[in-house]
Amino acid sequence: MSQPILVFDSGIGGLSVLAEIQRLLPSENYLYVFDNARLPYGELAEQVLIDGCVALICEQVARTNAKLVVVACNTASTLVLPPLRQKLSIPVVGVVPAIKPAAKLTVNGRIGLLATPGTIKRAYTRQLIEQFAPHCQVSLYASSELVMMGEAKLAGIPVDHKQLATILAPMLNDDIDTLVLGCTHFPLLSDEISSVLGDKVQLLDSGAAIARRVVSLLEQTDNKLKINQQAELVGIYTSMQISSGLLHGLQRKGFSRVTAYDAISAFSASES
Ligand code: DGL
């Protein structure tokens, strides 16, 4: 595969961002790297998260000669973008919770931010709210269970609506009219989330904005329009193996190969 765009997440959440990028750039090659051995990232200590992500992404960029990296994970983006940009000479795009558009769209001035425990507690998130939504009341909700529900859904396990309603119940009391999905796993559950919160709460995520950013960066660096009939989508995961449900879910999303991470010969070993 030549010069892929590398899209990274802890699990399958980054697929919500990948879908938006592919919609604008269908002829690119994509390498989707997911660190499911260490999922959920929202529970990891900061330095452990940073060191693992930087090492894994840099190694995969060097191995595949990737042209651009998308850190399609809010939790990782709160920490790893500066060290990653220091090490890499290609563009690195991160995900920022859609607080700024939410502050423009809300009518009653009450916004919710639903994200992982890691994202919710970071100074980065507090600064984002202070900068872009100082006039709004922003309620914060942290959940790693929802991350795991998103993983399970792609693997074909039905969403437990009762559990979902319990997780989302606090939002119904806070009278929010706009909910920022500040974890890339959550757009994969947006129908289910809306069925609990109703149509009075609009859901916002950053996928489309990230895709536009990728296009604009490639326009600056890649001066020719790509017409690649053989565009490929391949995946690498860091656990020893994945369930057959998850493998089938990924195949349904268009993956031609999904391979276990192998530090020595990452592409040829353990092909599923
Ligand atoms: N998808 C990720 C995010 O956007 C991380 C989920 C997790 O591993 O906790 O935050």
Side-chain angles (χ1 to χ4, degrees):
M1 165 189 270
S2 91
Q3 288 229 285
I5 293 174
L6 190 159
V7 179
F8 174 78
D9 185 31
S10 58
I12 52 85
L15 297 179
S16 65
V17 178
L18 174 69
E20 298 284 354
I21 305 171
Q22 279 181 310
R23 220 156 46 80
L24 300 187
L25 298 168
S27 298
E28 295 289 339
N29 289 324
Y30 293 91
L31 171 67
Y32 187 74
V33 180
F34 57 115
D35 189 10
N36 61 340
R38 305 196 312 147
L39 178 90
Y41 271 8
E43 310 287 335
L44 277 191
E46 295 194 356
Q47 203 54 49
V48 175
L49 176 58
I50 295 169
D51 293 347
C53 291
V54 171
L56 178 61
I57 294 170
C58 289
E59 186 187 326
Q60 294 300 318
V61 166
R63 187 181 64 75
T64 61
N65 194 20
K67 62 161 91 170
L68 183 145
V69 170
V70 180
V71 179
C73 172
N74 291 266
T75 316
S77 294
T78 60
L79 296 170
V80 306
L81 299 178
L84 208 50
R85 287 181 177 136
Q86 244 177 27
K87 293 220 156 160
L88 294 173
S89 55
I90 55 172
V92 177
V93 180
V95 195
V96 177
I99 294 288
K100 189 177 175 183
K104 288 190 183 138
L105 282 173
T106 178
V107 175
N108 72 1
R110 289 166 187 252
I111 297 171
L113 170 61
L114 176 61
T116 67
T119 299
I120 290 296
K121 66 177 183 229
R122 301 269 198 264
Y124 172 100
T125 302
R126 208 178 43 246
Q127 284 156 12
L128 196 66
I129 294 169
E130 280 165 10
Q131 187 179 357
F132 294 114
H135 53 290
C136 298
Q137 184 176 319
V138 183
S139 305
L140 304 175
Y141 312 100
S143 176
S144 287
E145 288 100 320
L146 270 181
V147 172
M148 302 320 284
M149 283 172 99
E151 291 283 321
K153 181 181 172 187
L154 190 83
I157 299 166
V159 173
D160 180 341
H161 286 269
K162 226 165 122 193
Q163 190 192 358
L164 184 66
T166 308
I167 296 169
L168 301 179
M171 295 172 204
L172 293 170
N173 297 328
D174 291 342
D175 192 30
I176 57 170
D177 68 3
T178 307
L179 179 66
V180 176
L181 302 179
C183 167
T184 54
H185 278 74
F186 300 163
L188 302 166
L189 293 167
S190 57
D191 288 348
E192 291 84 354
I193 293 173
S194 276
S195 76
V196 174
L197 298 182
D199 344 317
K200 279 199 230 121
V201 180
Q202 58 188 333
L203 306 182
L204 282 186
D205 67 71
S206 315
I210 301 306
R212 288 194 298 272
R213 176 83 187 129
V214 170
V215 171
S216 111
L217 283 168
L218 286 186
E219 277 168 0
Q220 289 163 36
T221 51
D222 233 21
N223 45 20
K224 53 200 173 306
L225 185 68
K226 189 134 195 181
I227 304 173
N228 176 7
Q229 302 295 353
Q230 310 284 276
E232 253 198 300
L233 167 60
V234 303
I236 289 198
Y237 53 91
T238 56
S239 63
M240 299 292 278
Q241 54 187 24
I242 55 173
S243 68
S244 60
L246 180 51
L247 179 60
H248 289 139
L250 292 170
Q251 285 165 344
R252 276 197 307 277
K253 295 268 180 198
F255 281 77
S256 57
R257 278 183 292 160
V258 187
T259 314
Y261 172 74
D262 173 342
I264 297 164
S265 55
F267 240 22
S268 52
S270 335
E271 198 145 307
S272 305

